[in-house]
Every structure is written in C-alpha cells, then in structure tokens.
Amino acid sequence: MSFLRFFGKQRSAPLARERLQILLAHERSPAGSDLVSLLREEILAVIARHVQVDQDKVCVKMDRDENVSVLEIDVELPLDAVVKAA
Amino acid sequence: MAKVVVVTSGKGGVGKTTSTAAIGAALAQRNERTVVVDFDVGLRNLDLVMGAERRVVYDLVNVIQGDAKLPQALIRDKRLETLFLLPASQTRDKDSLTPEGVERVINDLKKHFDWIICDSPAGIERGATLAMRHADMAIVVANPEVSSVRDSDRIIGLLDSKTLKAELGERMEKHLLLTRYDSMRADRGDMLKVDDVLEILSIPLLGIIPESTDVLRASNIGAPVTLADNRSAPAMAYFDAVRRLTGEPVPIAIPGDRRSLFGKIFGRRAA
C-alpha cells in the first residue's frame, strides 16, 4: 500500500482544506443562497413580462471560488413562445 | 457560580457523548460537583456510556412534566460521588422538551452543581437548540474530516445567534475539541491537520483527542474514558482539556507526536 502511495496517490488533506474554505466562505454569507433565489425570481418576472415561460425552465446558478465568481442564467424558451410585446 | 456547558457538533458520531462522559468524570475527579445531562430524547446513550443504564428510573422529560422531582431523576455515579447523570427519556419524542421546562431544570441544577454539562443530540433541531440555549460556553466536537468541519461551522453560527447569551448581545465562549485525531495520517497529508481545522473554524482549541482503541474499550465496559484507564492517551488528552476548561493555561501537545524512532519507522498508527 505505502509503495503505491508514494508513487501514485496525491495527498488529499490539502484538497479537503481548500474545498472547505471555499464552501464555508459561501455558506457563511447569509445573502449567499438567498441572493440566487432572489435573482431567479426577479429575472423570471422580467422575462414573464414579455414571453410566456415555464417556472422550472429558468435556472440561476452561482459558482464562486477564490479568484472568480460566475453567475450563470439559463432560460429555456418554448418553441411556440408567445411574444407579448415587441 | 455554576457553569453551563453544551457539548455539541451538528454531525452525529463524532464523539459528543464520549466527550461529555469523559469531561464530566474528569471534572468530578477534581472534586467539582458535576452533572451530565442527556438531551438526546428518544436516542439516549449517555447512560450506557456512563455504565448507569440499569439505574435509570426517571428522566429529564419526567422532571419537565412534573412526574418526578429533580433529585429522583438524578443518578449518582458509583465511582465518583461528585458526579451525577440526568438521563434523557427513551420513549418520548423530542417535542416533549419545552423551552420553559428546560430553563426550570437548568436553573434548579445551577443551585446544586458547579458544572452542568449538556450532551446535545446531533442535528440542528429542537433538542440541539434547547441543549445549547442556556449554555455559558460551548464545546464544539469535530473530527478532522470535511463533513464534520462543515457542520461544526454551522453549529458555531447557531451558537452565535440562537442562544440566550447571543440574544442578550453577550459573547458565547466556544472551544474546539478535535477528536479521533491521527497525527501520523495528518503528517502524511491524508488527514486535515489541527491547524487546518483551527484556521477554518477560528475558535480556540480546547484539546486534541487521539484516535484510540481505549475509547471503544471504555464504552464497552460502561466507564467514561477518563475513568476506564486514566493513563491512556485519550484519558490524558481529556484531563488536559478539562484543565484548560477550568482556565488553567496548559500547552497544547499533539498526541502521538513523541514517537520513538522505532515507531516512526515501523509504526503505522499513533497510540
């Protein structure tokens, strides 16, 4: 086992530490998870003003790490979407 | 002045009950009048770990509901006369704990004891929040493992918001007790190190309890770790933790660090 360890497997503790630091930085900010649902609701409201869209077809995701934060918004419009206003 | 201490963790199976029993016994061994209180209604185990499971007649819920007086429910330890146990109910559900009832019992216990050690159930539900509600200080038990550290972080957040002390705008004293620590695995980079956990959780360290067969052995025979074999590595780590709890400045030693050369070369596990 230890033979394999020296040549194969990487140390896992540094990865555990890094994952925890990123996760907890996110979980500790009380706005963190709420922000996403708030954005989701408002974005949905704006789109719904112009296009009929399914509640479940709007996906808002936020990814954060030490260097960059990404806000990903994925809206699936139905093919026969009724455009309410030009 | 009685001190109310909650032993909590969020995650289950990290050593809350073991630590409650070991710390309670260690305090009583110093002649402090100590009671350990089991808040895990429905899943009590502190009685078993203390070796008092056959002596339970009344429990915390009986006292809260007025079916028994506090002295009737308190079980005096057979080995230490300053150590008492207030068991949880095994048959009721968690809702039988009421905030008013718990407050009354804690205030009663304060009149008779120097230390009230509350063994919290796992989770963040009613039982856990009531166990921490009246605490003056908290011992957060964690393993050097990602899910335990994450849950400890969550519990620290609750200690700072959901306790009486927090609501009064006072500072809740929190201490980390790192259990099941294996310094060899940490040295090899296969386990989070003490400093990693401390940096992530940023609360002061109360002690490091080494991974050891003595802990299972103690629970097998129904004795707190500090009574089963007071020279064992985990027992000595608990004694050090208790000295720190009482305010003595005891330097932190990482258990298993002083290994012989033989142990360093051939040993696979620290004691």
Side-chain angles (χ1 to χ4, degrees):
Chain A
M1 267 312 278
S2 54
F3 181 82
L4 282 177
R5 186 184 293 282
F6 278 116
F7 295 101
K9 284 187 200 158
Q10 286 213 316
R11 303 278 158 268
S12 58
L15 187 61
R17 178 194 148 103
E18 197 189 315
R19 290 176 58 222
L20 271 171
Q21 278 171 330
I22 294 166
L23 174 74
L24 294 181
H26 180 69
E27 284 186 346
R28 277 172 193 161
S29 65
S33 53
D34 293 340
L35 180 63
V36 173
S37 54
L38 194 70
L39 283 173
R40 191 181 174 281
E41 238 161 75
E42 292 194 7
I43 289 164
L44 191 67
V46 171
I47 296 170
R49 256 191 272 157
H50 303 285
V51 182
Q52 259 184 358
V53 64
D54 198 334
Q55 287 264 345
D56 308 327
K57 298 287 166 64
V58 178
C59 175
V60 178
K61 255 171 70 182
M62 183 141 44
D63 278 319
R64 284 186 197 177
D65 64 32
E66 276 166 355
N67 305 311
V68 67
S69 290
V70 177
L71 178 67
E72 188 185 314
I73 303 165
D74 184 3
V75 184
E76 191 184 320
L77 289 178
L79 281 173
D80 56 346
V82 182
V83 179
K84 287 180 182 169
Chain B
M1 190 51 194
K3 278 240 177 207
V4 184
V5 182
V6 62
V7 179
T8 185
S9 70
K11 190 177 182 302
V14 296
K16 285 181 297 296
T17 301
T18 302
S19 298
T20 301
I23 288 169
L27 282 165
Q29 280 165 290
R30 297 163 63 96
N31 273 325
E32 304 270 349
R33 291 170 301 167
T34 307
V35 61
V36 289
V37 185
D38 194 346
F39 273 82
D40 206 344
V41 173
L43 288 170
R44 75 167 174 225
N45 274 315
L46 188 56
D47 55 333
L48 195 54
V49 170
M50 302 273 297
E53 71 276 11
R54 301 203 310 179
R55 300 171 60 208
V56 177
V57 182
Y58 294 111
D59 57 56
L60 176 61
V61 173
N62 292 141
V63 177
I64 284 176
Q65 296 185 338
D67 301 331
K69 295 251 184 306
L70 185 58
Q72 291 178 291
L74 286 171
I75 302 170
R76 186 197 285 264
D77 189 86
K78 293 233 179 192
R79 297 145 298 206
L80 295 166
E81 62 171 30
T82 52
L83 180 60
F84 288 80
L85 163 70
L86 181 55
S89 166
Q90 183 69 336
T91 50
R92 313 295 181 90
D93 64 275
K94 281 189 163 54
D95 294 335
S96 39
L97 290 181
T98 60
E100 304 75 32
V102 170
E103 183 175 8
R104 210 179 56 238
V105 171
I106 296 280
N107 284 336
D108 262 9
L109 288 172
K110 277 183 177 176
K111 292 177 206 152
H112 302 101
F113 292 97
D114 301 317
W115 294 88
I116 299 156
I117 316 287
C118 304
D119 184 20
S120 171
I124 51 173
E125 308 296 318
R126 190 188 187 89
T129 47
L130 281 177
M132 68 170 66
R133 178 117 191 104
H134 301 276
D136 299 310
M137 56 162 87
I139 298 176
V140 179
V141 183
N143 293 165
E145 178 270 323
V146 285
S147 52
S148 172
V149 175
R150 180 199 211 173
D151 292 358
S152 296
D153 193 75
R154 186 82 200 279
I155 280 292
I156 290 168
L158 291 183
L159 287 166
D160 286 334
S161 60
K162 293 281 159 73
T163 53
L164 216 54
K165 251 194 145 114
E167 285 169 12
L168 291 169
E170 294 171 30
R171 202 183 64 87
M172 167 69 80
E173 215 182 296
K174 299 171 294 286
H175 301 272
L176 176 70
L177 188 67
L178 197 58
T179 56
R180 307 201 67 166
Y181 192 71
D182 185 330
S183 63
M184 286 191 88
R185 292 173 71 185
D187 286 348
R188 283 200 304 253
D190 295 335
M191 183 184 261
L192 287 168
K193 283 186 196 296
V194 178
D195 287 343
D196 293 335
V197 182
L198 283 177
E199 194 192 322
I200 292 166
L201 294 178
S202 40
I203 58 171
L205 183 62
L206 185 69
I208 307 161
I209 313 301
E211 170 82 64
S212 165
T213 52
D214 290 302
V215 175
L216 181 60
R217 195 185 154 268
S219 79
N220 285 345
I221 64 172
V225 173
T226 42
L227 279 176
D229 175 3
N230 61 11
R231 301 298 304 163
S232 70
M236 303 219 287
Y238 276 118
F239 286 129
D240 278 357
V242 161
R243 285 166 65 197
R244 287 180 204 112
L245 194 66
T246 58
E248 245 183 84
V250 181
I252 298 270
I254 296 177
D257 250 14
R258 277 166 290 154
R259 293 191 308 275
S260 65
L261 187 61
F262 183 86
K264 275 185 181 162
I265 297 169
F266 299 104
R268 298 188 65 86
R269 300 178 69 86

